[in-house]
Amino acid sequence: MRKITTFIALAVISFTSIGCDRFLDIQPEGKVIPTTVDDYRKVLTSAYSKYPSHKSLTVLRTDEVNIDENTSDFISYREIAMWKDSNTDQATTEFPWVSFYSVVFYLNQIINEGTKTMAESPEKQQILAEAYALRAYTYFDMVNLYGKPYNSATASTDRGVPITLDIDLEQVLKPSTVQEVYNQVHADMTKAEGLMVEQKQAAGLNYRFSKAGLLALEARTALYEGDWNKAVSYSDQALAIKGDLSNLNTAATAPNHYASVESILALDNAFNSSVQNLSFASAELLSKYNSTTDKRFGLSFEKSGSKYKIIKGGSSDFRVSFRTSELYFIKAEALLKLDKLDEAKQALLTVLKNRYTPDGYTSVQNQVAPMNNADFMNFILDERIREFASEGQRWFDLRRADQRKITHKVNGQDYILQQNDVRYTIEYPMSAKRNNPNL
């Protein structure tokens, strides 16, 4: 374990893109120890800037895209599309591990040391609140990558990921259970609640957590845990702070753009340029849309020969973690689970009125009106595909919903992810297991 923790420390110390190489030396001879709110804001900015692009990789495991075998990066990503997590080619890009714990390292430093050294002020409260919120989000993402989907009956025994709340490089990390990780997520969110100052962040600073962003995380967490009442409550609270929806009949900006009126937290590079360049929209994804009445189609896809490229990403302008439409989707699903079908329909139709042409929306209303609970649940999931294509949500939706069978063709051969396949839980990366026999 010492090798991997030392690697984390060296990685953290060497980050120079924002001038924070002066900070966080464990033996700070010749270094500056952060003490002021300005110092710790720089450390926190580094934590944000190093957040992994893991959701870009999960897109390749879904039914949203097909991989282009004629690109130079094909060899680096093909095994991800084959769901091959064991004995991978050395050229295969690994899912992140050290980078997650590097972010946690920054946050632990802020929480453990900044609490004691920063002078009391609203700025201190905000920095600590963001650090707790980002740590909660980091562990939430990690446990949903490397742990089984949350199941209250088995979460206390299902393997999650290691939790570290210290900056001790000699500690030996062992996996915590899924329940323990969720408990830590909740503990950090509670801490953040009591400290958060900013209700929402302005465009350009919305990579930072705010009260609205924290509530959105709490709503998503409640949804994944099946805590339907809390999912509704947190969604409503977040929407009371920021409830704007982009009307695609008049707006030219995609809803997942960081400057969209819908943007709450624009942190994740959910569909980076590398993955965008080597993939095409799958026929299955394209078939989900009415290309005439669904205004999302033109903002999401661009014809390239006989295929379509997904254009909802590829640059930092499309960083997206939470946006208002998701809150309506969470609310609709949770209300449905609470057997409040009419309210659930109304919550979702609030979004769809802003997604379809007027005639298209009338058609959708007529389609939805006679649906029973089961039909409407399927409709919600289909609309989630349309709404959040290439935004890093689909893999997690597949895991928590039906874990359906998916087939990918790579190098002319069919590779199949079977229904309820164990590979719906991604293995710890090989490099992590080599460095820590406890994993």
Side-chain angles (χ1 to χ4, degrees):
M1 188 60 210
R2 182 175 300 184
K3 287 200 295 185
I4 192 167
T5 50
T6 301
F7 181 25
I8 291 172
L10 290 174
V12 171
I13 293 166
S14 67
F15 292 157
T16 60
S17 63
I18 314 178
C20 291
D21 57 317
R22 298 180 300 132
F23 300 124
L24 298 186
D25 196 335
I26 298 305
Q27 296 177 347
E29 183 178 348
K31 297 284 182 177
V32 177
I33 300 174
T35 56
T36 68
V37 291
D38 287 342
D39 292 341
Y40 278 104
R41 173 54 72 184
K42 291 176 182 176
V43 175
L44 184 53
T45 301
S46 284
Y48 282 123
S49 73
K50 301 303 176 184
Y51 202 71
S53 296
H54 55 291
K55 290 180 181 174
S56 293
L57 300 182
T58 64
V59 171
L60 296 173
R61 297 175 77 95
T62 71
D63 50 4
E64 296 175 290
V65 300
N66 294 322
I67 196 166
D68 183 357
E69 300 175 6
N70 297 314
T71 60
S72 58
D73 286 339
F74 170 67
I75 192 171
S76 300
Y77 295 96
R78 61 189 173 91
E79 291 189 334
I80 297 174
M82 294 157 54
W83 306 286
K84 184 180 180 185
D85 298 328
S86 300
N87 302 314
T88 54
D89 190 298
Q90 288 186 347
T92 297
T93 299
E94 279 193 324
F95 275 83
W97 186 265
V98 167
S99 53
F100 273 121
Y101 285 104
S102 296
V103 171
V104 169
F105 185 92
Y106 278 115
L107 302 174
N108 290 346
Q109 174 74 9
I110 295 166
I111 291 167
N112 296 342
E113 300 301 322
T115 301
K116 296 179 288 187
T117 59
M118 283 187 284
E120 294 301 323
S121 67
E123 290 81 4
K124 174 184 178 177
Q125 283 186 246
Q126 181 64 25
I127 288 169
L128 291 174
E130 290 178 44
Y132 279 115
L134 183 55
R135 191 168 73 179
Y137 188 49
T138 302
Y139 280 123
F140 176 82
D141 270 0
M142 285 195 75
V143 79
N144 279 288
L145 275 181
Y146 300 119
K148 290 182 179 180
Y150 187 86
N151 181 331
S152 60
T154 62
S156 60
T157 55
D158 289 336
R159 189 187 70 172
V161 295
I163 298 172
T164 176
L165 307 179
D166 302 311
I167 52 175
D168 177 10
L169 297 188
E170 300 305 317
Q171 64 185 314
V172 177
L173 299 182
K174 296 181 180 179
S176 299
T177 66
V178 168
Q179 186 63 62
E180 288 170 333
V181 179
Y182 270 86
N183 290 346
Q184 184 58 49
V185 169
H186 282 291
D188 280 345
M189 291 190 300
T190 299
K191 286 282 191 180
E193 280 180 3
L195 292 163
M196 193 70 73
V197 176
E198 299 292 341
Q199 294 292 294
K200 53 187 176 182
Q201 298 283 2
L205 292 179
N206 51 342
Y207 65 89
R208 300 176 180 178
F209 265 97
S210 62
K211 180 68 170 178
L214 176 60
L215 287 165
L217 172 58
E218 290 175 308
R220 187 186 289 176
T221 303
L223 179 76
Y224 281 35
E225 290 179 295
D227 193 337
W228 312 122
N229 284 303
K230 285 187 178 179
V232 173
S233 176
Y234 287 131
S235 296
D236 281 339
Q237 290 178 63
L239 288 168
I241 298 172
K242 188 174 177 64
D244 301 320
L245 287 168
S246 179
N247 186 341
L248 300 189
N249 288 290
T250 56
T253 303
N256 64 315
H257 192 281
Y258 84 94
S260 166
V261 297
E262 295 193 13
S263 181
I264 296 174
L265 183 71
L267 176 62
D268 286 274
N269 194 351
F271 194 60
N272 65 23
S273 58
S274 296
V275 173
Q276 183 189 53
N277 291 337
L278 65 83
S279 64
F280 292 101
S282 70
E284 184 166 357
L285 175 61
L286 294 170
S287 71
K288 296 290 184 181
Y289 293 83
N290 183 320
S291 60
T292 302
T293 64
D294 192 332
K295 303 297 289 187
R296 291 168 295 194
F297 188 86
L299 290 173
S300 301
F301 308 106
E302 185 176 85
K303 194 78 179 290
S304 177
S306 61
K307 301 176 181 179
Y308 282 87
K309 298 290 288 186
I310 299 177
I311 57 174
K312 286 180 66 180
S315 79
S316 58
D317 286 353
F318 293 97
R319 286 182 179 267
V320 59
S321 302
F322 298 102
R323 53 190 181 89
T324 51
S325 67
E326 183 187 352
L327 298 171
Y328 284 101
F329 272 86
I330 290 172
K331 183 177 177 179
E333 185 173 338
L335 286 168
L336 181 63
K337 297 295 186 179
L338 293 168
D339 203 25
K340 298 179 179 180
L341 179 59
D342 290 341
E343 292 179 56
K345 289 178 179 179
Q346 187 54 51
L348 188 59
L349 288 171
T350 300
V351 178
L352 302 188
K353 186 175 183 180
N354 294 276
R355 298 298 184 253
Y356 289 88
T357 63
D359 286 345
Y361 178 62
T362 298
S363 177
V364 168
Q365 284 180 300
N366 293 336
Q367 180 185 354
V368 166
M371 288 182 179
N372 60 24
N373 284 34
D375 292 337
F376 190 60
M377 186 66 235
N378 290 330
F379 183 75
I380 289 174
L381 293 174
D382 279 347
E383 277 294 340
R384 284 187 68 93
I385 297 172
R386 290 186 275 270
E387 180 72 12
F388 303 115
S390 77
E391 292 184 35
Q393 298 242 24
R394 179 60 177 160
W395 178 248
F396 293 148
D397 281 347
L398 285 164
R399 278 168 42 87
R400 69 182 183 86
D402 58 358
Q403 296 195 9
R404 62 187 295 271
K405 177 181 176 181
I406 304 175
T407 301
H408 285 168
K409 188 177 289 291
V410 182
N411 282 333
Q413 182 175 341
D414 284 344
Y415 292 87
I416 299 173
L417 186 70
Q418 298 289 355
Q419 174 122 26
N420 300 320
D421 200 301
V422 294
R423 290 171 296 174
Y424 266 110
T425 298
I426 298 171
E427 290 188 25
Y428 293 163
M430 292 299 298
S431 61
K433 292 189 284 189
R434 283 195 299 268
N435 282 303
N436 182 3
N438 292 301
L439 296 181

